[in-house]
Every structure is written in C-alpha cells, then in structure tokens.
Amino acid sequence: MIALMKRILTVSGTYKGRILLAFVFSFLKSLLAKAPIGLAFLVINAFSSGSVDASFCLKTGIAMLICVILQVIFQHMADRLQSAAGFMVFADKRMELGKHLRKMPMGYFTEGNIGKISSVLSTDMVFIEENCMTTLADMMSYIFAEAIMLLFLLCLDWRIGLLALVLVGLVLLTARSMNKVNMEDSDKRQEQSENLTEAVLDFIEGIGIIKTYNLLGEKSKELSGNFSQSCRTNIEFEEDVAPWQRRLNLLYGAGSALILALSFWLYAKGFLSAPYLIGVLLFLFDLFGPLKALYGQSARLTVMNSCMDRIEDVFAQTQLPDTGTLTIPDASDAPEVEFRNVSFAYGEKDVLHDVSFSLKKNEMFALVGPSGGGKSTIVNLLARFWDVKSGQVLVRGRDVRSVPLSDLMDHISMVFQRVYLFQDTIYNNISMGRPDASREEVMEAAKKARCYDFIMNLPQGFDTVIGEGGETLSGGEKQRISIARCILKDAPIVILDEATASVDADNESYIQEAISELCRGKTLLVIAHRLNTIRHADHILVISEGKIVQSGTHAQLMEKDGIYKNFVTVRQSSRGWSQRNGA
C-alpha cells in the first residue's frame, strides 16, 4: 500500500504538494477523531480520583467541542485538496499519453494494442482517478489512526502495547499474503477488461460485414462469451478475497480477546488500576477498526496497482526517437526523396530488402506490385511512421532521423485510401492542414478539392458537424475533404496511397480533378493500380516480396516480359494483381 501511494505521488507531478498537504490534514483529523476516547479516559480517571468539578466538566466539554470543530475543518481541507486532484492528475496524464502515442511507431497500433489503449483510457485511468484520492485519504487516515491507538496503549501499559504491536504485525503479514493473491487476480481482471474492450470494438467496427454474412449469431456468441468471462473473472476475484477476509476477521477477534485477557490479568495482579483498565477497554474496542477498514479496501487497492502497471506499460513502450536538430533545406541539389539500401522488418518478419531509388523535384513515382509486397511500407518509412532497420531515407539530402518529426511532416502530405475525419465541423477538419489559415484560404482549398459545392448544400455549410470518422458523408466526399486538407497544407511532397481505389465512378472524376490540383508543382509518390494513373508516371517501381524487381516508364516496362506487363494484361481483363501473374 505504501508502494502504491509512492507510485501515485510519482505520477501526480505538480499536484504532489497539495496531496502531501492533504495528508497532514488527514493526520490531524485522525488524531482529533481519537481525542474523545482520550478525553473519556481523563474523565474516568478524574471520577476515580474524585477531582471532578464544574470547571473540569466545562473544560472537558469545550475541549470536546473544539475537537469536533477542528475535525470538521481538517476533513474539509483534506477533501478540498484531494477531491479534484485525481481528476486533474489524470487529465494531464491523458494529454501526456496522447503526446506519447503520437510519437509511437505505427507498428504499435497494428499489433492488437488498440484494445489495450482503449482499456487504459476508458477503464484503468477512470478507475484510478475516481478512487485514488479518496482511497489514499482513507488509507492515510487509517494508518495514522492505527498508529495513534498503538501509541495510546503503549502509554497506558507497555505490556499491553507490546502485545498489540505483535498482533498488528500478524495482521500485516496475513494481509501481505492476501495482497499477493489479489494482485494476481487483479491482473487477470484488467486483462479480461482489455479483451472485452477489444471484442466490443471488433464487433462494432465489423457490424456491416457481420450483418452482410449473417454472422450475428456467431459474433454475438463471441461477444457474449467475453461478457460471461468478465463476469466469471470478477466473481473469482471476490471468491479469492473472501477466505483471506475471514482469516483477518478471526485475527481481529482473537487479538481483541488476548488483549482483554492480558488486561484483566494485569488488573487482577495489581499491575493495572481500574481507570487504566477501563481506558484499555475504550481503546481496545477501536484498536483493529482502522486495519479492518483499510484491508476492507484491499481489493480496490490491488486493482489500482494493476491499473498503474498497465498504464506504465503503455508509457514504457519505446517511442520513435525525435532528437534530430537539422532542418530540411528549402532548396537542394540532392534528390527530393532518396532511399539508400533500405531494409525493414516488422519484428522478426523481413519486409524490405536493400531498396534503393531516388525522386527528383516535381517527379511522379508510381509504386505497383502484388499486395503485401512492401509498397505501403515504403511510403510509411518516408513519413517516418517507422524507422528503417538499415540504410537511409533522405529528403533533400537529410536523413529523416536527423530532423525533427514536426519539420519532416511539414514537408509531406498524405492522402490515404481509407479516410478518417473527426467528429467536428467540416471547416475544422480541413483547417487541420494548416490551423493558422484564414477562412478564405480554407474555402479556396475546398474549391480546388471540388468539395465546396456539396459542403455549401449541407445544413450549416462549413460549420456542419460530421459524425465520427465522417460517417455522415459518402466515401468520395470524405476523400475530397481529405484532399482539401492536403491542398491547404501545401507540402512539397505528396504521397497518394490508393487514393481512388474505393470510390464510385461518379466521384472519381471529381477526385481526379482534386488530385490534379493537389499535385501541381509537387513531388509525388503514388501507390496505385489504375492504369490511367500509372501510365503518366515519370517512373514506375514494381515492388514484389520486398524488392524492386522492375523499374522504368510505362513504355519501357511494356517492352519486356515481367510482372508489370502481366499486370497490364490482367488489368485489361479486369482480373487485378495476382502472385500467379509474375509475382
């Protein structure tokens, strides 16, 4: 528990001071909460000695009133300092996590970690921020209260105090074993929470396919299975805690009986006076109360520990280094883009093998080849979504690893096949390309992207809020808005990743016009399968099995047998790429 407290204080950052100050008020509140017992002992002792008078009763009453008032004040101060601290700490932590994820290699988001990230944000952080400060305040209050009780007993009689210390030590040892079991169960509980989140996301994202292929029963069964497993995991968690709670309750009862027996024995032998015996009884009935309350929350504490482990695990993932200090020059005699002997692997799986090529300014390079050959990996390495295993990727002679990521991304625009728009206004979705752009510039970009007319036909025009992912727009409309965003950004290098592969014929002509506006005066790296896009490229690279197997213009490649010529033949027959056709 002390370790958990240290962990939470470590992540508290600038709020650590106010939390520590709250601990001081918690201690004072705990001290005053036990003061009535001490005052009761003084009253009993006064009655025994016959020294009770009106003045003594008045002073005792005033002291009791002061204790109650101060206790309320200190409780208020502790709550005021701590109540919002958890939410403020984890508001900052979420922003920190966003910055951390922004610097992660894209591979991290394709290794089944989406469920973990969602679970950390929606479950782990929420659990801690809602419970940590209240739990910490209670925990410190219980610890202080227990220490005060032991100190009082030691003052009353050292033998009784020593026995109480031994019994409290036995409780702590038992609780330590309980917490080990709880930690294992907490890890399982949070892992299942992650699995459930992953299953829910998978079900929601795939609902269209599930309905189309009549898989509702099968997929619903899979989702229901995760809900059932979560239920079983939580019940097992409680079942494992219960026996340990019973053992602790037996210790509390047996400990109280032992202290009571020792107290009466000392009284019978004349080592303890009647007032002191009554004083021991007063403290005894509340001796194990703080520990009982503290370990009654042990399940919550271990879950918090498990949540902290999972949060720290995400933060521990290695970021792409962003220590570059060089800048990309405005003009250079070097190629606009160059790959030098680049090799890359996803974990142990090699994807690119010694790839080398270069693009001059304003050239259009087309990457073609079978699926899985490495085309998307090449453009992702240029945008530095990953770092190369060996070799270099250069922009105007600068290794992309030697420049800040922000500077690199200022020079690159990407239009993806699968467009994602945020649940925000269309204006804000376009202005992401250049946040400082004027409204006139945003509208001009929309006109160039051939999306101005349909935007103006929407209920609020540019101020229309679109659904998450742009779900309220058609695929072609979303694509044109993403192109408008890139036009506004006006980066010198443009990457088109199957930008027209999934749009309907009605939208294709608009998108081709929008792309023509985007690409004017730019260096292009295009992944495409449409002949009317490829044939006009200045250079075509045929990528297969992670290697450049052919290179040249459309006319040059058509003069020799190989994958490209086979592709054109297949394409004209509307059969598409195939490994059997020369790959």
Side-chain angles (χ1 to χ4, degrees), residues 294-348:
L294 178 62
Y295 289 113
Q297 296 192 33
S298 63
R300 198 171 1 163
L301 293 171
T302 53
V303 170
M304 285 173 61
N305 243 323
S306 180
C307 291
M308 288 297 298
D309 287 340
R310 290 161 53 77
I311 293 169
E312 290 173 1
D313 179 65
V314 174
F315 277 103
Q317 299 298 317
T318 305
Q319 299 178 354
L320 277 175
D322 190 16
T323 56
T325 56
L326 300 178
T327 58
I328 297 175
D330 293 332
S332 174
D333 294 332
E336 193 80 347
V337 173
E338 184 177 6
F339 275 56
R340 290 182 186 170
N341 308 111
V342 169
S343 295
F344 177 74
Y346 295 112
E348 300 298 320

Coordinates of all heavy atoms in Angstrom, one line a residue, residues 294-348:
L294 N -9.1 -0.6 6.5 CA -8.0 -0.5 5.5 C -8.0 -1.7 4.6 O -8.0 -1.6 3.4 CB -6.7 -0.3 6.2 CG -5.5 -0.2 5.3 CD1 -5.5 1.0 4.4 CD2 -4.2 -0.2 6.2
Y295 N -8.0 -2.9 5.2 CA -7.9 -4.1 4.4 C -9.3 -4.5 3.8 O -9.3 -5.4 2.9 CB -7.3 -5.2 5.2 CG -5.8 -5.0 5.4 CD1 -5.3 -4.7 6.7 CD2 -5.0 -5.0 4.4 CE1 -4.0 -4.5 6.9 CE2 -3.6 -4.7 4.5 CZ -3.1 -4.5 5.8 OH -1.8 -4.2 6.0
G296 N -10.3 -3.8 4.2 CA -11.6 -4.0 3.5 C -11.6 -3.4 2.1 O -12.3 -3.7 1.3
Q297 N -10.6 -2.5 2.0 CA -10.4 -1.8 0.6 C -9.3 -2.5 -0.1 O -8.8 -1.9 -1.2 CB -10.1 -0.4 0.8 CG -11.3 0.4 1.4 CD -11.1 1.9 1.3 OE1 -10.5 2.4 0.3 NE2 -11.5 2.7 2.3
S298 N -8.7 -3.6 0.4 CA -7.6 -4.2 -0.3 C -7.8 -4.5 -1.7 O -6.9 -4.4 -2.6 CB -7.1 -5.4 0.5 OG -8.1 -6.4 0.5
A299 N -9.0 -5.0 -2.0 CA -9.4 -5.4 -3.4 C -9.2 -4.2 -4.3 O -8.7 -4.2 -5.4 CB -10.8 -6.0 -3.5
R300 N -9.8 -3.0 -3.8 CA -9.7 -1.8 -4.6 C -8.3 -1.4 -4.8 O -7.8 -0.9 -5.9 CB -10.5 -0.7 -4.0 CG -10.8 0.4 -4.9 CD -11.8 1.4 -4.5 NE -12.4 1.4 -3.2 CZ -13.0 2.4 -2.6 NH1 -13.0 3.6 -3.2 NH2 -13.5 2.3 -1.4
L301 N -7.5 -1.5 -3.8 CA -6.1 -1.1 -3.8 C -5.3 -2.0 -4.8 O -4.4 -1.4 -5.6 CB -5.4 -1.2 -2.4 CG -6.0 -0.2 -1.4 CD1 -5.4 -0.6 0.0 CD2 -5.6 1.2 -1.7
T302 N -5.5 -3.3 -4.8 CA -4.8 -4.1 -5.7 C -5.2 -3.9 -7.2 O -4.4 -4.0 -8.1 CB -4.9 -5.6 -5.4 OG1 -6.3 -5.9 -5.3 CG2 -4.3 -5.9 -4.0
V303 N -6.5 -3.6 -7.4 CA -6.9 -3.3 -8.7 C -6.3 -2.0 -9.2 O -5.8 -1.9 -10.4 CB -8.5 -3.1 -8.8 CG1 -8.9 -2.5 -10.1 CG2 -9.1 -4.5 -8.6
M304 N -6.1 -1.0 -8.3 CA -5.4 0.2 -8.6 C -4.0 0.0 -9.0 O -3.4 0.6 -9.9 CB -5.5 1.2 -7.4 CG -6.9 1.9 -7.3 SD -7.0 2.9 -5.8 CE -5.7 4.1 -6.1
N305 N -3.3 -1.0 -8.2 CA -2.0 -1.3 -8.6 C -1.9 -1.9 -10.0 O -1.0 -1.6 -10.7 CB -1.4 -2.3 -7.5 CG -0.3 -1.8 -6.7 OD1 0.6 -1.1 -7.2 ND2 -0.2 -2.1 -5.5
S306 N -2.8 -2.8 -10.3 CA -2.8 -3.4 -11.6 C -3.1 -2.4 -12.7 O -2.4 -2.4 -13.7 CB -3.9 -4.5 -11.6 OG -3.9 -5.1 -12.9
C307 N -4.0 -1.5 -12.4 CA -4.2 -0.4 -13.4 C -3.0 0.5 -13.6 O -2.6 0.8 -14.7 CB -5.3 0.5 -12.9 SG -7.0 -0.2 -12.9
M308 N -2.2 0.8 -12.5 CA -1.0 1.5 -12.6 C 0.0 0.7 -13.5 O 0.8 1.3 -14.3 CB -0.4 1.8 -11.3 CG -1.2 2.9 -10.5 SD -1.2 4.5 -11.3 CE 0.6 4.9 -11.3
D309 N 0.1 -0.6 -13.3 CA 1.0 -1.4 -14.1 C 0.7 -1.3 -15.6 O 1.6 -1.1 -16.4 CB 0.9 -2.9 -13.7 CG 1.5 -3.2 -12.3 OD1 2.4 -2.4 -11.9 OD2 1.2 -4.2 -11.7
R310 N -0.6 -1.3 -15.9 CA -1.0 -1.3 -17.3 C -0.7 0.1 -17.9 O -0.3 0.2 -19.1 CB -2.4 -1.7 -17.4 CG -2.7 -3.2 -17.2 CD -4.1 -3.5 -16.8 NE -5.0 -3.0 -17.8 CZ -5.2 -3.5 -19.0 NH1 -4.6 -4.6 -19.3 NH2 -6.0 -3.0 -19.9
I311 N -1.0 1.1 -17.1 CA -0.7 2.5 -17.6 C 0.8 2.7 -17.8 O 1.2 3.2 -18.9 CB -1.3 3.5 -16.6 CG1 -2.8 3.5 -16.6 CG2 -0.8 4.9 -17.0 CD1 -3.4 4.3 -15.4
E312 N 1.6 2.2 -16.9 CA 3.0 2.4 -17.0 C 3.6 1.6 -18.2 O 4.6 1.9 -18.8 CB 3.7 2.0 -15.7 CG 3.4 3.0 -14.6 CD 4.0 2.6 -13.2 OE1 4.5 1.5 -13.1 OE2 3.8 3.3 -12.2
D313 N 2.9 0.4 -18.4 CA 3.4 -0.4 -19.5 C 3.2 0.3 -20.9 O 4.1 0.2 -21.7 CB 2.6 -1.7 -19.6 CG 3.0 -2.6 -20.7 OD1 4.1 -3.1 -20.7 OD2 2.2 -2.9 -21.6
V314 N 2.1 1.0 -21.0 CA 1.9 1.8 -22.3 C 2.9 2.9 -22.4 O 3.5 3.1 -23.4 CB 0.5 2.4 -22.3 CG1 0.3 3.3 -23.6 CG2 -0.6 1.2 -22.4
F315 N 3.2 3.6 -21.3 CA 4.2 4.7 -21.3 C 5.6 4.1 -21.5 O 6.5 4.9 -21.9 CB 4.1 5.5 -20.0 CG 3.0 6.5 -20.0 CD1 1.8 6.3 -19.3 CD2 3.2 7.7 -20.7 CE1 0.8 7.3 -19.4 CE2 2.2 8.7 -20.8 CZ 1.0 8.5 -20.1
A316 N 5.8 2.9 -21.1 CA 7.2 2.3 -21.2 C 7.5 1.9 -22.7 O 8.7 1.6 -23.0 CB 7.3 1.1 -20.3
Q317 N 6.5 1.8 -23.6 CA 6.8 1.4 -24.9 C 7.7 2.5 -25.6 O 7.5 3.7 -25.4 CB 5.4 1.3 -25.7 CG 4.5 0.3 -25.2 CD 5.1 -1.1 -25.2 OE1 5.7 -1.5 -26.2 NE2 4.9 -1.8 -24.1
T318 N 8.6 2.0 -26.3 CA 9.7 2.8 -26.9 C 9.1 3.7 -28.0 O 8.4 3.3 -28.9 CB 10.8 2.0 -27.5 OG1 11.3 1.1 -26.6 CG2 11.9 2.8 -28.1
Q319 N 9.4 5.0 -27.9 CA 9.0 6.0 -28.9 C 10.0 6.0 -30.0 O 11.1 5.6 -29.9 CB 8.9 7.4 -28.3 CG 7.9 7.5 -27.1 CD 7.9 8.9 -26.6 OE1 8.8 9.8 -26.9 NE2 7.0 9.2 -25.6
L320 N 9.5 6.5 -31.2 CA 10.4 6.8 -32.2 C 11.3 8.0 -31.7 O 10.8 9.0 -31.3 CB 9.7 7.3 -33.5 CG 9.2 6.2 -34.4 CD1 8.4 6.8 -35.5 CD2 10.3 5.3 -35.0
P321 N 12.6 7.9 -31.8 CA 13.5 9.0 -31.3 C 13.2 10.3 -32.1 O 13.0 10.2 -33.3 CB 14.9 8.5 -31.6 CG 14.8 7.0 -31.7 CD 13.4 6.7 -32.3
D322 N 13.0 11.4 -31.4 CA 12.8 12.7 -32.1 C 13.8 13.6 -31.5 O 13.5 14.7 -30.9 CB 11.4 13.1 -31.8 CG 11.0 14.3 -32.6 OD1 11.7 14.6 -33.6 OD2 10.0 15.0 -32.3
T323 N 15.1 13.3 -31.8 CA 16.2 14.1 -31.3 C 16.9 14.9 -32.4 O 17.9 15.5 -32.1 CB 17.2 13.2 -30.5 OG1 17.7 12.2 -31.4 CG2 16.5 12.6 -29.3
G324 N 16.4 14.8 -33.6 CA 17.0 15.5 -34.7 C 17.0 17.0 -34.5 O 16.1 17.6 -34.0
T325 N 18.1 17.6 -35.0 CA 18.3 19.0 -34.8 C 18.5 19.7 -36.2 O 18.4 21.0 -36.2 CB 19.5 19.4 -33.9 OG1 20.7 18.7 -34.5 CG2 19.2 18.9 -32.5
L326 N 18.7 19.0 -37.2 CA 18.9 19.6 -38.6 C 17.5 20.0 -39.2 O 16.5 19.5 -38.7 CB 19.6 18.6 -39.5 CG 21.0 18.1 -39.0 CD1 21.5 17.1 -40.0 CD2 21.9 19.3 -38.8
T327 N 17.6 20.8 -40.2 CA 16.4 21.2 -40.9 C 16.5 20.8 -42.3 O 17.6 20.6 -42.9 CB 16.1 22.7 -40.8 OG1 17.3 23.4 -41.4 CG2 15.9 23.1 -39.4
I328 N 15.3 20.5 -42.9 CA 15.3 20.2 -44.4 C 15.4 21.5 -45.1 O 14.7 22.5 -44.9 CB 14.0 19.5 -44.7 CG1 13.9 18.2 -44.0 CG2 13.9 19.3 -46.2 CD1 12.5 17.5 -44.2
P329 N 16.4 21.6 -46.0 CA 16.7 22.9 -46.7 C 15.5 23.2 -47.7 O 14.8 22.3 -48.2 CB 18.0 22.6 -47.5 CG 18.1 21.1 -47.6 CD 17.4 20.6 -46.4
D330 N 15.3 24.5 -47.9 CA 14.3 24.9 -48.9 C 14.6 24.5 -50.3 O 13.7 24.3 -51.1 CB 14.1 26.5 -48.8 CG 13.6 26.9 -47.4 OD1 12.9 26.1 -46.8 OD2 13.9 28.0 -47.0
A331 N 15.9 24.4 -50.6 CA 16.3 24.0 -51.9 C 17.6 23.2 -51.8 O 18.4 23.4 -50.9 CB 16.5 25.2 -52.8
S332 N 17.7 22.2 -52.7 CA 18.9 21.4 -52.6 C 19.2 20.7 -54.0 O 18.2 20.5 -54.7 CB 18.7 20.3 -51.5 OG 19.8 19.4 -51.5
D333 N 20.5 20.5 -54.3 CA 20.8 19.8 -55.5 C 20.6 18.3 -55.3 O 20.6 17.5 -56.3 CB 22.3 20.0 -55.8 CG 22.5 21.5 -56.2 OD1 21.6 22.1 -56.7 OD2 23.7 21.9 -56.0
A334 N 20.4 17.8 -54.1 CA 20.2 16.4 -53.8 C 18.8 16.0 -54.3 O 17.9 16.9 -54.4 CB 20.3 16.1 -52.3
P335 N 18.5 14.7 -54.5 CA 17.1 14.3 -54.9 C 16.1 14.7 -53.8 O 16.4 14.9 -52.6 CB 17.2 12.8 -54.9 CG 18.7 12.5 -55.2 CD 19.4 13.6 -54.5
E336 N 14.9 15.0 -54.3 CA 13.8 15.4 -53.3 C 13.6 14.3 -52.3 O 13.4 14.5 -51.1 CB 12.6 15.7 -54.1 CG 11.5 16.4 -53.3 CD 11.7 17.9 -53.1 OE1 12.8 18.3 -53.4 OE2 10.8 18.5 -52.7
V337 N 13.6 13.0 -52.7 CA 13.4 11.8 -51.9 C 14.4 10.8 -52.3 O 14.6 10.6 -53.6 CB 12.0 11.3 -51.9 CG1 11.9 9.9 -51.1 CG2 11.0 12.3 -51.4
E338 N 15.1 10.1 -51.4 CA 16.0 9.1 -51.8 C 16.0 8.0 -50.7 O 16.0 8.2 -49.5 CB 17.5 9.7 -51.9 CG 18.5 8.6 -52.3 CD 19.9 9.2 -52.5 OE1 20.1 10.4 -52.1 OE2 20.8 8.5 -53.0
F339 N 15.9 6.7 -51.2 CA 16.1 5.5 -50.4 C 17.5 4.9 -50.7 O 17.8 4.6 -51.9 CB 15.0 4.5 -50.7 CG 13.7 4.8 -49.9 CD1 13.0 6.0 -50.0 CD2 13.2 3.8 -49.1 CE1 11.9 6.2 -49.3 CE2 12.0 4.0 -48.5 CZ 11.3 5.2 -48.5
R340 N 18.3 4.8 -49.7 CA 19.6 4.2 -49.9 C 19.7 2.8 -49.1 O 19.8 2.8 -47.9 CB 20.7 5.1 -49.3 CG 20.9 6.4 -50.2 CD 22.1 7.1 -49.6 NE 22.3 8.4 -50.2 CZ 23.1 9.4 -49.8 NH1 23.8 9.2 -48.6 NH2 23.2 10.6 -50.4
N341 N 19.7 1.8 -49.9 CA 19.9 0.4 -49.3 C 19.0 0.2 -48.1 O 19.5 -0.3 -47.0 CB 21.4 0.2 -48.9 CG 22.3 0.5 -50.1 OD1 23.1 1.5 -50.1 ND2 22.2 -0.3 -51.2
V342 N 17.8 0.5 -48.2 CA 16.8 0.4 -47.1 C 16.3 -1.0 -46.9 O 15.8 -1.7 -47.8 CB 15.6 1.4 -47.3 CG1 14.6 1.1 -46.2 CG2 16.1 2.8 -47.2
S343 N 16.5 -1.5 -45.7 CA 15.9 -2.8 -45.3 C 15.0 -2.5 -44.0 O 15.3 -1.6 -43.2 CB 16.9 -3.8 -44.9 OG 17.7 -4.2 -46.1
F344 N 13.9 -3.3 -43.9 CA 13.0 -3.1 -42.8 C 12.3 -4.4 -42.5 O 12.1 -5.3 -43.3 CB 11.9 -2.0 -43.2 CG 10.9 -1.8 -42.1 CD1 11.2 -1.1 -41.0 CD2 9.6 -2.3 -42.3 CE1 10.3 -0.9 -40.0 CE2 8.7 -2.1 -41.3 CZ 9.0 -1.4 -40.1
A345 N 12.0 -4.5 -41.2 CA 11.3 -5.7 -40.7 C 10.2 -5.3 -39.6 O 10.5 -4.4 -38.8 CB 12.3 -6.7 -40.1
Y346 N 9.1 -6.0 -39.7 CA 8.1 -5.9 -38.6 C 8.4 -7.0 -37.6 O 8.1 -8.2 -37.8 CB 6.7 -6.1 -39.1 CG 6.2 -5.1 -40.1 CD1 6.0 -5.4 -41.4 CD2 5.9 -3.8 -39.7 CE1 5.5 -4.4 -42.3 CE2 5.5 -2.8 -40.6 CZ 5.3 -3.1 -41.9 OH 4.8 -2.2 -42.8
G347 N 9.1 -6.6 -36.6 CA 9.6 -7.7 -35.6 C 10.6 -8.6 -36.3 O 11.6 -8.1 -36.7
E348 N 10.3 -9.8 -36.4 CA 11.2 -10.8 -37.0 C 10.9 -11.0 -38.5 O 11.6 -11.7 -39.2 CB 11.0 -12.2 -36.3 CG 11.4 -12.1 -34.8 CD 12.8 -11.7 -34.5 OE1 13.7 -12.1 -35.3 OE2 13.1 -10.9 -33.6

